Amino acid sequence: MFVRGIRGATTVENNAEKEILDATSALLQEIVRQNQIVPEDICSIWVTTTHDLTAAFPAKAIRQLPGWELVPLMCSLEIPVQPSLAKCIRLMVHVNTNKKQNEIRHVYQNRAQSLRPDISN
């Protein structure tokens, strides 16, 4: 078994708590669906946001999902390199898996698809 990183990113239109939490939840749920994982498989999740998102901690959305209470979460600010994608939430999900690197499905939603057009769905 290996520890693999699964990347994900999404954007919101407004710096609003509900929008941030809904987008974070949708992103994680799609990562889970595409990679067929459960909370028990997760080592930890690193969450970053751009400096313009201050209305909520995105990790709150993950913590509210049933079964995710014990998954270690950490939030941080993305480094402010210009020009960067505004109002962006990124996840790095560390998962225990037998999958190979090329079997991992990274998820980019909304305007974040521009970050990795080579692997965006």
Side-chain angles (χ1 to χ4, degrees):
M1 188 158 295
F2 305 97
V3 176
R4 302 282 189 210
I6 304 173
R7 287 294 316 269
T10 190
T11 56
V12 295
E13 294 303 314
N14 303 291
N15 181 27
E17 180 178 21
K18 182 173 179 1
E19 202 169 331
I20 292 168
L21 298 180
D22 288 350
T24 304
S25 180
L27 176 60
L28 179 62
Q29 289 180 46
E30 187 61 15
I31 289 171
V32 165
R33 186 189 72 74
Q34 286 194 30
N35 289 283
Q36 302 165 349
I37 54 177
V38 296
E40 191 62 30
D41 297 334
I42 308 295
C43 301
S44 63
I45 302 176
W46 189 265
V47 183
T48 67
T49 64
T50 49
H51 71 283
D52 48 7
L53 295 180
T54 59
F57 288 105
K60 179 179 178 182
I62 299 168
R63 190 66 65 225
Q64 292 175 341
L65 294 172
W68 291 82
E69 307 80 25
L70 300 177
V71 174
L73 306 171
M74 179 67 71
C75 287
S76 181
L77 282 175
E78 192 69 31
I79 59 172
V81 174
Q82 294 302 323
S84 64
L85 184 60
K87 296 183 177 76
C88 186
I89 302 161
R90 292 175 173 89
L91 301 181
M92 174 66 79
V93 181
H94 302 104
V95 60
N96 292 309
T97 183
N98 287 317
K99 292 182 180 183
K100 296 178 173 142
Q101 287 283 18
N102 65 353
E103 296 174 309
I104 297 295
R105 300 291 165 243
H106 306 280
V107 178
Y108 293 84
Q109 298 176 329
N110 304 314
R111 289 180 291 113
Q113 290 179 1
S114 68
L115 297 172
R116 290 298 305 268
D118 57 320
I119 59 174
S120 293
N121 318 7

